[in-house]
Amino acid sequence: MIIHPQIQGCVARNCHPIGCRAAVEQQIAEIRAAGPFNGPRRVLILGASSGFGLASRIALTFGAGANTIGVSFERGPSDQGIGSAGWYNNIWFKQAAEREGYQAINLIGDAFSDAMRQQAIATIRQLWGEVDLVIYSLASGQRLLADGRRVRSVLKATGQPFTGWGLSLEHNALVEQTLPLASTEEIHDTVTVMGGEDWQQWMQALQDADCLAPGVQTVAYSYIGPASTYPLYRDGTIGYAKEHLHGTAEAINLQLAELGGHAWVSVCKALVTKASAYIPVLPVYLGLLMGVMKERGVHEGCIEQMRRLFADKMYGAEGVIADGNRLIRMDDHELDPAIQAAVSALWPKVTPENFTSMGDFAGLRRDFMQLNGFELPGVDYEAPVNIDALGELEP
Ligand code: NAI
C-alpha cells in the first residue's frame, strides 16, 4: 500500500511507518552527534511514544545509556487503519535500543488505570527492582477514572472568550478560532485529566511497592509561555491543570523526602507535537516563534530540549538547576525579552494572506508532518508499505 498523508484540521489521520523509523533514527543520530552525558540508568517514562516523552527516552538511552520502560496508548495496524505513529515509534525505538544492548520495554495501555500501574510495577520488579527516574509526559483529552467515570479535558478560555487566527494544517491556511468560555466544571475536569493527580498516584504506587531507588527523581512537563499567550494557555483551562501539576510536584517532593528523592516540573518551550498542534491559536504563535528563534540561532526541537534538560539542567555537574519556584526553566530562550519583542512585533501583522512569508510556518508544517512519518529525507514515499509484515512486529 502506498501511503499519502491524511490531515484533518490539525490532526493526522494516518502515519507513514517507514517515515516514523526515519524520524526516530534522525533523533538518535542527533543525540549521538551531541555526545554522551551522565544520567540515570533505570527510567520509567509515562507517555513515551511521541513528543517530549519519546525525545526523553531517546536522549537518555543513546546519550546516557539508560534502560527504559515506556508506557503509551497507541494503536497497531488493524482493519481500522495503519495504526498510530506512536505505535511504530515504540517499535523502532525498541529495535534500535536493543541493537545497542539496552533494555527497552513498551507497555501499551491506559496509563491512568490501576492495571497499568500494576503492570509497570511488575515489570520494574522483574527487571531492576527499582527505578532512578520517572518521567511524566502524558498528554490526553480524557481520563477514565477508577469508578468508571470518563472525564474530558477541554481547551477553553476563562474570564472571557478569546478569538484569534489559528492554523489549519489541513488547508495550510489561517482560520478564525475562538476559545469559548469554560464552565467551572470544565475547568475542574481539565485539571482532573491534565493536572497532577495521576502523577501523584503513580509515585505513591511505585513508592508503596518499593520500586523507587534512593535519591529517585521524577519530572513532569509543563508550559507557561509569554504574557501574550496567557489567554490561550496559562489563563485557560490547561493553565489551571498545569498550575495543579506544579502544586503536586511539591506534594510528591515531600513524599519522596524519606528516599532522598525529588520531584520537579520542567517548564518546556513551545514545540510542535501532536498535542500542541491541537491547541487553538497557539500554532500561530509557534510559527512566529520558530522563525525568530531560528533567525537568532537558538531554535531547539524536542530532542535538543530534552538533551539539554537532562545533560545540563538535571544530571550535569551542578545537579538540578531550577528557579526560585523549583521549576526547571527550559523555556529560558523562548522567554528571552528580545525574542518575545520580535514575536510580539510580528503577531498583530499576521493575516491569512501574508502568514506564509512570516515566521517559519513551513518549518512548523514540516515538523508536524514528520511527527507522523511524512516528509522525511531519504524515505521513498512512492514505495508500497507492507502493512501485513509490519503487523508482525511486536512493540
Ligand atoms: P504527545 O501527544 O506528543 O505525547 C503524549 C504521550 O502521552 C504519547 O506517548 C501518548 O501515547 C501518551 N498518552 C496519552 N494518553 C495516554 C494514556 N491514557 N495512557 C498512556 N499513554 C497515554 O504530547 P507532548 O506534547 O509530548 O506532551 C507531553 C507533555 O509535555 C504534556 O504534559 C504537555 O502539556 C507538555 N508540554 C508540551 C509542550 C509542547 O509545546 N508540545 C510544551 C511544554 C510542555
Side-chain angles (χ1 to χ4, degrees):
M1 151 189 229
I2 294 177
I3 305 171
H4 294 295
Q6 291 167 10
I7 310 297
Q8 199 177 13
C10 280
V11 179
R13 291 289 172 209
N14 66 349
C15 72
H16 197 287
I18 307 303
C20 290
R21 180 169 62 199
V24 168
E25 281 169 356
Q26 198 174 64
Q27 293 192 56
I28 294 172
E30 280 200 44
I31 290 300
R32 284 213 171 99
F37 60 90
N38 284 328
R41 288 301 158 102
R42 301 166 300 180
V43 184
L44 171 65
I45 302 160
L46 305 166
S49 60
S50 64
F52 282 119
L54 175 64
S56 303
R57 197 177 194 191
I58 292 173
L60 288 169
T61 294
F62 291 93
N67 296 311
T68 57
I69 299 170
V71 177
S72 60
F73 203 56
E74 301 292 349
R75 277 184 331 274
S78 70
D79 304 346
Q80 315 286 312
I82 299 165
S84 56
W87 175 269
Y88 295 102
N89 293 340
N90 283 335
I91 290 173
W92 306 132
F93 171 81
K94 183 185 170 82
Q95 285 191 356
E98 288 181 346
R99 269 200 303 272
E100 304 280 316
Y102 300 115
Q103 291 168 313
I105 311 297
N106 293 315
L107 302 179
I108 317 288
D110 185 3
F112 293 122
S113 69
D114 196 47
M116 180 52 81
R117 276 192 276 273
Q118 294 315 318
Q119 202 184 337
I121 285 168
T123 311
I124 293 167
R125 283 187 167 147
Q126 190 194 340
L127 291 181
W128 314 316
E130 49 191 27
V131 291
D132 307 303
L133 172 66
V134 179
I135 295 172
Y136 193 82
S137 187
L138 296 182
S140 179
Q142 49 178 300
R143 174 176 168 200
L144 185 62
L145 299 177
D147 64 8
R149 230 167 15 106
R150 190 172 293 280
V151 181
R152 291 179 201 282
S153 65
V154 297
L155 293 163
K156 290 193 178 179
T158 65
Q160 49 186 5
F162 183 87
T163 298
W165 291 119
L167 181 66
S168 160
L169 286 158
E170 180 181 355
H171 301 296
N172 201 22
L174 291 197
V175 289
E176 197 174 85
Q177 287 180 336
T178 296
L179 282 90
L181 199 57
S183 66
T184 311
E185 195 186 353
E186 286 173 320
I187 296 173
H188 281 290
D189 285 353
T190 306
V191 170
T192 302
V193 178
M194 286 297 287
E197 187 181 59
D198 179 62
W199 181 26
Q200 190 166 18
Q201 285 178 2
W202 268 96
M203 295 311 295
Q204 189 68 58
L206 291 164
Q207 193 164 357
D208 290 348
D210 284 331
C211 283
L212 300 179
V216 67
Q217 309 259 26
T218 183
V219 62
Y221 298 141
S222 182
Y223 184 67
I224 295 176
S228 58
T229 63
Y230 284 178
L232 321 170
Y233 200 99
R234 203 189 88 155
D235 294 341
T237 46
I238 183 73
Y240 277 83
K242 291 301 185 191
E243 201 58 44
H244 185 270
L245 186 82
H246 299 186
T248 310
E250 298 313 305
I252 299 176
N253 199 49
L254 191 58
Q255 179 188 320
L256 296 180
E258 63 184 81
L259 292 166
H262 288 288
W264 305 98
V265 167
S266 168
V267 181
C268 298
K269 158 185 190 291
L271 273 162
V272 185
T273 66
K274 197 171 70 181
S276 67
Y278 198 67
I279 301 175
V281 184
L282 194 76
V284 170
Y285 164 75
L286 194 48
L288 298 175
L289 179 73
M290 279 174 67
V292 171
M293 292 187 79
K294 281 185 182 175
E295 244 169 51
R296 290 162 197 241
V298 290
H299 173 74
E300 290 173 314
C302 282
I303 195 70
E304 292 91 356
Q305 268 266 295
M306 292 300 105
R307 188 188 184 280
R308 187 161 67 93
L309 168 65
F310 298 117
D312 298 355
K313 298 233 179 178
M314 283 191 77
Y315 293 95
E318 293 172 54
V320 174
I321 301 173
D323 71 8
N325 294 318
R326 299 188 60 263
L327 300 172
I328 303 173
R329 302 310 296 251
M330 299 307 299
D331 58 351
D332 43 1
H333 299 322
E334 174 179 354
L335 295 189
D336 176 337
I339 302 265
Q340 285 306 318
V343 173
S344 296
L346 293 173
W347 205 347
K349 297 184 192 145
V350 172
T351 68
E353 291 73 36
N354 70 9
F355 80 100
T356 48
S357 65
M358 298 172 81
D360 185 24
F361 287 93
L364 183 154
R365 192 182 163 76
R366 188 175 52 247
D367 284 359
F368 177 78
M369 297 306 280
Q370 291 190 346
L371 289 176
N372 301 294
F374 297 106
E375 297 187 15
L376 277 127
V379 177
D380 179 1
Y381 289 103
E382 295 312 317
V385 177
N386 186 341
I387 300 293
D388 290 341
L390 290 170
E392 303 287 309
L393 300 175
E394 292 284 326

